[in-house]
Amino acid sequence: PRAMAVIVTRGLSVLFQNVRSCTFLHQHKARDCWRCVKRYLLSDNVIRLLEFQQKKVAIANQMYISRDQYFNNIEEKLKNNELLLKNDLKTLLHLCQTPANVEVAKNIIYRYHAENRNMAFGEFKFGPLFMRLCYELGLEETAEEVVKDQNLKGFFSDSTSFNIVMDMLFMKGSYERALGVLLEMKNQGIKFSKDTYTLAFAVCYKMDTDESYKICNMLLEESATRGDFVPRHAFCFAVAFAIKQNDVVKARSIYSHIMCTDSKICLNLHVLLLALSGAQQHLLSVLEKTVVNNVPKFVKKMDFSQEVVAAVRKTLENNSELQSRFEDVYEMLKLSGQITALSLNDMLCHTPNGKRLLNPLLDARKISRRTFKPLHSALLSE
């Protein structure tokens, strides 16, 4: 009994040390790390940073040895050429707190991938887990390096890993590097997700070069050929990019592919396209229909960017009658609070809200972990 008491006491001591260390880290990050709160294009459903951090705390709580001891044990395994198990790597990634820890984890990943290159990992993918770790610590260079490393080809076999890297680089303004990650993803044959298209067109829009415009149009054509789903946000970036390139005809063509246009960004782009196409009468009719008066605060209002309004006003300079009508509408929009200082770029570069499934069954497991075959529909309802 006395020996058991000693073991329990030591275990509690290690547990307290892990919890205290992890809690301090997350409190410190909440104060000082802008990466935890500032994002642009990927929703919480994709980044899942909070979920990842909660998992880190939970795993730290379950440890019966200290974090340093665990890292020493793993490094000892590496030196002795011992077999690395899946749970070894999972636990290690959740225990990383510093860039030095990540370097150790990276070496383990190389070894693990070399040993398991030809084995099926089932449903679990380490790529997004490592990328969330890099995202948390702001290690976009490390993330970019590993997804491009041909020695790790197949380890990052999912679109989420590449998307998170591109989002990190996008936040840093490293658009050319983000485009390089996109092209690497394409070369490796990774299927593009809807988030990939949003990031791809956003990066091309930000680069604003002839080459990036060609890439944007090529991706649009390929998505149409393959029948891939392109989200509204991605189309909006493509439309805005075509406008920046003074290709109004192309911009109108892309805009026509947007199925649902009842958003603030779409309305601003629509108004701008009408102005640039010379359809001033139609433009003024759209503005007049958008004005809302004496409605409750919770009723959704469509806002117009001051930047877009200025561009519209410029196209009406040679027609005093239409200009006078426009100024009247502008005053009404201003009085109803529908003119915003946000630029079109600000509206485009926003973080979308993550959507929750109304029916949990829709998110239920559909593939067997044992056989990797689809589960029978009857099992899904249990």
Side-chain angles (χ1 to χ4, degrees), residues 41-81:
L41 299 176
L42 293 183
S43 69
D44 286 323
N45 290 1
V46 179
I47 298 295
R48 294 166 61 182
L49 183 60
L50 181 60
E51 179 185 331
F52 172 66
Q53 291 175 331
Q54 289 171 342
K55 184 73 172 175
K56 287 180 75 172
V57 174
I59 287 179
N61 292 352
Q62 295 167 4
M63 296 296 293
Y64 60 90
I65 59 174
S66 68
R67 180 180 288 100
D68 292 339
Q69 184 61 50
Y70 187 85
F71 272 86
N72 290 337
N73 292 348
I74 291 294
E75 288 180 316
E76 195 65 29
K77 270 192 169 186
L78 205 61
K79 288 177 185 176
N80 296 334
N81 236 6

Side-chain angles (χ1 to χ4, degrees), residues 98-118:
T98 65
N101 292 158
V102 174
E103 281 301 310
V104 174
K106 192 170 75 171
N107 293 332
I108 300 298
I109 284 173
Y110 278 101
R111 167 74 179 281
Y112 184 85
H113 184 59
E115 292 177 349
N116 299 277
R117 188 186 300 270
N118 298 320

Side-chain angles (χ1 to χ4, degrees), residues 121-184:
F121 297 144
E123 288 185 335
F124 188 82
K125 295 185 182 298
F126 285 103
L129 190 61
F130 184 75
M131 290 307 155
R132 288 181 184 110
L133 177 61
C134 292
Y135 191 97
E136 181 189 36
L137 298 177
L139 302 175
E140 66 279 348
E141 291 182 2
T142 300
E144 180 188 8
E145 175 194 339
V146 294
V147 295
K148 286 185 172 182
D149 194 332
Q150 296 305 304
N151 292 321
L152 288 176
K153 187 175 180 180
F155 188 84
F156 301 99
S157 59
D158 57 282
S159 61
T160 302
S161 297
F162 286 86
N163 291 343
I164 293 176
V165 181
M166 284 191 283
D167 194 51
M168 285 192 283
L169 294 171
F170 186 88
M171 283 192 294
K172 289 285 188 175
S174 303
Y175 306 122
E176 289 185 10
R177 289 163 59 192
L179 185 60
V181 171
L182 175 74
L183 296 178
E184 178 64 31

